[in-house]
Amino acid sequence: MQEKTINGFSKLSKSEKANWAAQHFFNDPEQVIRDWAGFCHPEEATQKILDGLSENTVSNYHLPYGIAPNFVINGKAYAVPMVIEESSVVAAASSAAKYWMERGGFFAEVLDTKKLGQVHFNWTGDVRKLYHVFEALRTQLLEEATPLTANMEKRGGGIRDIRIIDMTHLETGYYQLMVAFETCDSMGANFINSVLESFADTLQRFVSAHPDFSGPEKNISIIMAILSNYTPECLVRAWVECPIEAMGNCEGIDPVVFAEKFHKAVRIAHLDPYRAATHNKGIFNGIDAVVLATGNDFRAIEACGHTYAARDGHYRSLSDCSLDNGIFRFWLDIPLSVGTVGGLTKLHPLARRSLELLGNPRAPELMCVIAAAGLAQNFAALRSLITTGIQKGHMKMHLMNILNHLGAEHEACAKAVDYFSDKAVSFTAVRAFLEK
Ligand code: MEV
C-alpha cells in the first residue's frame, strides 16, 4: 500500500511523474511511458500550453474532433465543431442540420445574459437594520471593487445588481448577498469570483465598523463567496418550425403520424423524470460537444442545464414541441454561460480554431450555435427513437469499430456492412463472418 503512495509528487518533473506512476502501477512500465509520450504533441511549445492547463500532467487524452456542416442558424451557415467520443452524435447532428436547412434552418434568440454570484454569510442581528444601511453598504461594495470592475465596465459589463437575501426561514442567521453580473464575451468566472471575494471583505469590515451595529451585531461570519453556476437568466432559445406536411416521409412514416408521435415523445419527457434524464442527455450530447470544442466549461453548462430542467421542482425535458394550426414547432430554452474570450478559448490551440471555424462569434452568437446543436441532437435522437429505433444508426458505427478492432481489410469491411445491413451486430457474429 505505502509503496504506491508518494509525497511531493507535484514537485517531480513531468518525466519523473510518468516514471513513478508507470513503475508503481503497470506491468509494462516502458511501454506505458512510450504510450504516454506518443500522445504528447510533437511541437514543444504546444505541449507546454497543454501541460500548463492542469497539474501533474503526464500526457494528453485525445478525443475525436468532428465537424457538423450545414447548420443554418438565423439565416447564416455554420460548420459546427464537436468534440465527443460517442459514435453517431456528429452524424446525427449533421443529418438534423441538413434536414432543417431544407426547411428554413434553425432560429435562435438570446433572452438574457445575466450571470450570478453569492456571498453566503451568517449574522444574527435585526435584519431591518441591515436593510436600513443597505444603500451605504452597496456604495462601499462598489467603490472598493472598482479596481476589479473598471476594465469590465469599459467593455460594457460589470455589476448589475446587488441584493440581500434573507434565508433565515431555512437556517438561523443565514443570509446572502446575491449579485448579478454582465461579463460580455467572457464566461466571467474569475471576474465574478474576484469581485465576490472583495465584496465579502467589504461586507465584513462595513458591518463591524458601522455605528448602527453594536455588540454581537458587529460579528458577521462570511461562509463563502462564489459564483453560482445556476444562471437561469443567461438564457437562449433555439427553435425550428415548418408546416407538418413539409416534414416529408420520415423512414416511411406519414408526416402527420410522425409529428404526433414526436410531440408525444417530448410530452413523455415532460412528465417522467426517468425519460427526461435520457432525453436531456441527448440534448447535452450536442451541447457538450460544442462547449468542449470551443474551450468552455461543460461541467458548468451541465450543472446549470439540469438545475434549470428541475426549476418547477420536477425534473423535465429542456425542449418542447407544439403542433398548432398544422405547424410543427420544436424548441429548446437553455441557460448557457459561455465565453469567446478568456479561459481556454484562445489558449487551447484547437479551441481557438473552433471559434475561427464559427467566424469568431461574440458570446451571444456562440450561445445560439450551441443551443441549435443541442436541439438538432434532440431532434435526431427522437426521430430515430420513434421510427427505426436508436440501434440501427449506432450499430453501423459499432460494426465499423468491431471491424477495425479485428483488423478487417477494406474489402471485407464493405462486405460486412452489406451483410449486416439487416442482421444483429455482435462481436462474435462479426468475427464469425470474417473467418468465413
Ligand atoms: C444517447 O447518447 C442519447 C439518446 O439516448 C437520447 C434520447 O434517448 O433521447 C439516444
Side-chain angles (χ1 to χ4, degrees):
M1 163 87 169
Q2 241 157 19
E3 76 188 35
K4 296 206 172 193
T5 63
I6 182 171
N7 273 331
F9 184 68
S10 65
K11 302 211 170 57
L12 300 182
S13 70
K14 183 176 175 180
S15 63
E16 285 168 339
K17 283 176 189 135
N19 275 327
W20 181 84
Q23 301 292 345
H24 286 81
F25 295 92
F26 294 88
N27 296 326
D28 53 348
E30 285 84 20
Q31 184 55 44
V32 171
I33 288 170
R34 275 197 296 277
D35 289 348
W36 283 337
F39 281 95
C40 284
H41 200 278
E43 281 165 26
E44 209 177 307
T46 306
Q47 186 54 47
K48 221 169 168 182
I49 295 173
L50 299 174
D51 286 346
L53 297 180
S54 176
E55 300 78 26
N56 295 350
T57 51
V58 295
S59 186
N60 303 319
Y61 187 99
H62 292 215
L63 287 173
Y65 180 105
I67 292 176
N70 298 323
F71 265 89
V72 173
I73 307 166
N74 295 335
K76 181 173 167 184
Y78 296 86
V80 176
M82 300 181 84
V83 172
I84 188 154
E85 86 298 346
E86 184 175 330
S87 61
S88 307
V89 169
V90 178
S94 310
S95 151
K98 187 134 184 274
Y99 177 91
W100 283 107
M101 180 182 75
E102 287 154 6
R103 290 164 180 80
F106 292 83
F107 299 91
E109 183 188 359
V110 171
L111 304 175
D112 207 341
T113 55
K114 194 189 287 174
K115 319 265 168 84
L116 297 171
Q118 298 160 304
V119 179
H120 304 266
F121 63 95
N122 232 68
W123 187 69
T124 48
D126 178 352
V127 68
R128 284 168 302 184
K129 283 191 180 176
L130 206 52
Y131 287 128
H132 184 70
V133 298
F134 182 64
E135 273 318 304
L137 171 63
R138 181 210 293 274
T139 306
Q140 192 170 327
L141 289 170
L142 292 175
E143 233 169 64
E144 293 188 359
T146 307
L148 298 168
T149 55
N151 245 339
M152 187 59 87
E153 274 166 21
K154 267 191 228 144
R155 283 155 50 195
I159 296 154
R160 291 289 177 263
D161 190 33
I162 311 171
R163 46 186 82 183
I164 291 176
I165 312 279
D166 184 345
M167 304 289 281
T168 53
H169 58 292
L170 296 176
E171 179 78 8
T172 312
Y174 171 35
Y175 295 89
Q176 302 174 353
L177 278 186
M178 177 70 94
V179 190
F181 298 87
E182 171 55 57
T183 61
C184 304
D185 286 328
S186 63
M187 189 249 187
N190 277 332
F191 167 71
I192 293 174
N193 287 333
S194 301
V195 170
L196 291 170
E197 287 185 8
S198 155
F199 277 15
D201 187 49
T202 305
L203 175 65
Q204 180 119 47
R205 277 184 289 102
F206 179 91
V207 170
S208 53
H210 200 283
D212 281 12
F213 302 123
S214 58
E217 283 177 338
K218 288 196 172 295
N219 299 332
I220 184 166
S221 164
I222 304 292
I223 311 296
M224 57 190 159
I226 183 74
L227 64 71
S228 171
N229 282 123
Y230 184 41
T231 52
E233 288 175 89
C234 187
L235 193 65
V236 55
R237 170 171 297 172
W239 71 96
V240 286
E241 61 187 8
C242 73
I244 292 173
E245 67 269 21
M247 296 187 82
N249 264 9
C250 283
E251 301 286 344
I253 297 185
D254 169 77
V256 175
V257 177
F258 174 83
E260 279 168 3
K261 232 177 146 182
F262 193 100
H263 181 261
K264 185 67 81 184
V266 178
R267 174 104 184 106
I268 289 168
H270 271 265
L271 299 174
D272 173 29
Y274 289 90
R275 174 57 203 153
T278 320
H279 178 98
N280 289 344
K281 189 273 184 183
I283 293 173
F284 281 108
N285 276 346
I287 290 193
D288 284 359
V290 188
V291 168
L292 250 176
T294 55
N296 277 286
D297 181 343
F298 62 93
R299 286 89 56 212
I301 296 295
E302 285 252 2
C304 183
H306 293 300
T307 313
Y308 190 71
R311 64 194 177 282
D312 70 358
H314 188 289
Y315 188 86
R316 298 181 192 284
S317 161
L318 285 162
S319 62
D320 214 337
C321 177
S322 67
L323 305 176
D324 295 330
N325 307 316
I327 303 290
F328 173 89
R329 192 160 193 273
F330 180 46
W331 70 96
L332 168 68
D333 283 357
I334 186 152
L336 289 174
S337 172
V338 291
T340 54
V341 298
L344 272 200
T345 55
K346 294 282 171 0
L347 197 58
H348 193 293
L350 284 183
R352 198 171 58 228
R353 286 298 193 195
S354 296
L355 290 169
E356 226 178 304
L357 178 66
L358 293 171
N360 288 320
R362 312 274 316 253
E365 188 180 348
L366 181 60
M367 288 167 74
C368 292
V369 172
I370 294 172
L375 189 68
Q377 206 60 49
N378 195 207
F379 178 80
L382 293 181
R383 183 174 59 180
S384 295
L385 287 169
I386 63 168
T387 57
T388 58
I390 206 73
Q391 284 307 84
K392 192 175 172 201
H394 275 195
M395 280 304 151
K396 243 191 248 163
M397 293 295 286
H398 186 48
L399 174 61
M400 292 317 294
N401 287 340
I402 296 174
L403 289 167
N404 281 338
H405 184 83
L406 293 172
E409 301 285 333
H410 183 73
E411 200 186 329
C413 286
K415 283 187 181 156
V417 168
D418 192 37
Y419 176 79
F420 282 102
S421 64
D422 57 357
K423 291 177 192 63
V425 177
S426 73
F427 194 86
T428 319
V430 176
R431 191 171 42 199
F433 174 82
L434 290 177
E435 279 165 8
K436 222 170 36 181

